[in-house]
Amino acid sequence: MSAHNVVFGFGAHSDIDDIPELLRMAQQADRDGLDIFTLSDHPYIGGRVDAYAALGFILGRTQHIAGFANVTNLPTRPAPMLARTVTSLSALSGGRIVLGMGAGGLWDRIADMGVPRLTAGDAVDAFEEAIVLVKKLSGGGPPVTYQGNHYQVNRIEPAPVAAPPVWTGSVGPKSLAATGRVADGWIPGHAADWLSERYRASRPIIDEAAASVGRDPSEIRTVFNFPGRITDRPLPATRDRDGRWLGGSVGQWVEELTGAVLEHGASGFTLFSADHGAPDLTVLARWAQEIVPSVREAIAK
């Protein structure tokens, strides 16, 4: 995927009972030309498939679509091993992997897995170190020695595979600043979109942190988790009283997303259903076959 292309994807099921539907959806999205599918990563829930096992399985049964964990539960996946996992998936799939990164949110459940509990500040420090280390352990070159506060490796050979793009789910100011310094993309939390106060307050933190280390802020894409209904007829109002997107007809979706790209710099959209779950096959087909091609055409003019 080009860093400058707008990407379109969908959030997929991750329950063990949904594996057949998960594969059908991913294969349909692959045929319909979507760019990416996402899976959640909650290893403390027994009824969920392991995100990275599922990514490998689906990438092996598709040809073009990329996958990522939205977002990786970093505290349960040590960064050096995570680097090996994502570079291996990249090599096996022809580069069809994105590394979604989070500092860890549900610490009570994470600690139940036997993982030492970190303070919020330490968790963000570990998150930034992990992104740096994954990139160091990718792309070939001489052995890496890294001595961070949370991760240490001694003369470990990098994989001869480029690091995948790293997109974060940062929410707090410290985590947002880390995204600006070391990540490649940002997924606003709580399904915040380009008109939300959360986005307006958060994106400048990323941009300022990027500029402070000599990076071009425009290189850090914003990919929105975007829930909503696709209706047969236009809705009288596509947003609620709080300004949240409700959905609408195909034409209303196309107008909204085209404006998001051209006027607000959006660089990706991941479709979820109106209740923030995975869309069904019918909704996914309308998204991929009707809305996405029209938006691509409109932003290419």
Side-chain angles (χ1 to χ4, degrees):
M1 293 179 297
S2 166
H4 302 290
N5 290 338
V6 178
V7 297
F8 298 88
F10 75 100
H13 297 285
S14 58
D15 288 349
I16 289 175
D17 292 341
D18 292 324
I19 290 172
E21 185 175 9
L22 167 61
L23 182 58
R24 284 195 298 271
M25 293 178 74
Q27 290 178 324
Q28 174 178 298
D30 191 39
R31 290 190 298 269
D32 287 341
L34 290 185
D35 300 296
I36 199 158
F37 68 91
T38 82
L39 297 170
S40 60
D41 186 21
H42 297 289
Y44 33 76
I45 300 177
R48 301 278 182 90
V49 294
D50 175 78
Y52 279 91
L55 285 172
F57 172 71
I58 296 168
L59 291 172
R61 300 289 294 274
T62 53
Q63 295 182 332
H64 307 291
I65 197 167
F68 81 113
N70 185 3
V71 290
T72 301
N73 192 287
L74 175 63
T76 62
R77 301 184 185 275
M81 285 304 301
L82 182 60
R84 291 293 191 241
T85 298
V86 295
T87 52
S88 296
L89 284 172
S90 182
L92 289 164
S93 68
R96 294 185 291 124
I97 189 76
V98 172
L99 175 55
M101 287 285 273
L106 301 176
W107 272 100
D108 287 343
R109 298 309 316 275
I110 291 169
D112 289 343
M113 296 283 287
V115 177
R117 186 186 294 268
L118 297 179
T119 65
D122 283 346
V124 174
D125 289 340
F127 158 85
E128 185 167 1
E129 282 189 17
I131 296 173
V132 171
L133 186 53
V134 167
K135 293 187 175 186
K136 285 181 176 292
L137 290 174
S138 309
V144 172
T145 295
Y146 180 84
Q147 297 297 319
N149 292 324
H150 301 276
Y151 296 105
Q152 300 85 36
V153 298
N154 185 41
R155 295 190 58 77
I156 298 299
E157 295 180 1
V161 179
V166 179
W167 300 351
T168 78
S170 296
V171 175
K174 188 174 181 180
S175 180
L176 291 164
T179 293
R181 288 189 294 268
V182 299
D184 307 298
W186 173 52
I187 307 158
H190 306 287
D193 67 33
W194 47 94
L195 298 184
S196 68
E197 178 57 32
R198 179 181 294 274
Y199 173 79
R200 290 194 294 268
S202 298
R203 181 68 208 206
I205 299 174
I206 293 173
D207 294 346
E208 290 167 10
S212 74
V213 294
R215 302 185 70 196
D216 180 354
S218 68
E219 294 178 357
I220 304 167
R221 63 166 69 237
T222 306
V223 181
F224 294 94
N225 288 339
F226 205 50
R229 295 184 295 135
I230 302 173
T231 59
D232 292 328
R233 297 181 179 181
L235 296 181
T238 57
R239 291 181 177 270
D240 64 17
R241 293 179 179 178
D242 296 323
R244 280 192 169 271
W245 173 254
L246 299 171
S249 66
V250 168
Q252 288 175 316
W253 277 85
V254 171
E255 180 180 6
E256 188 74 22
L257 299 187
T258 300
V261 174
L262 299 181
E263 299 170 18
H264 300 282
S267 52
F269 307 95
T270 302
L271 178 71
F272 288 83
S273 67
D275 61 0
H276 297 257
D280 62 30
L281 281 166
T282 301
V283 172
L284 180 61
R286 296 197 71 185
W287 167 247
Q289 297 171 16
E290 301 178 46
I291 295 172
V292 170
S294 297
V295 177
R296 285 175 172 156
E297 181 180 0
I299 62 179
K301 292 180 178 178

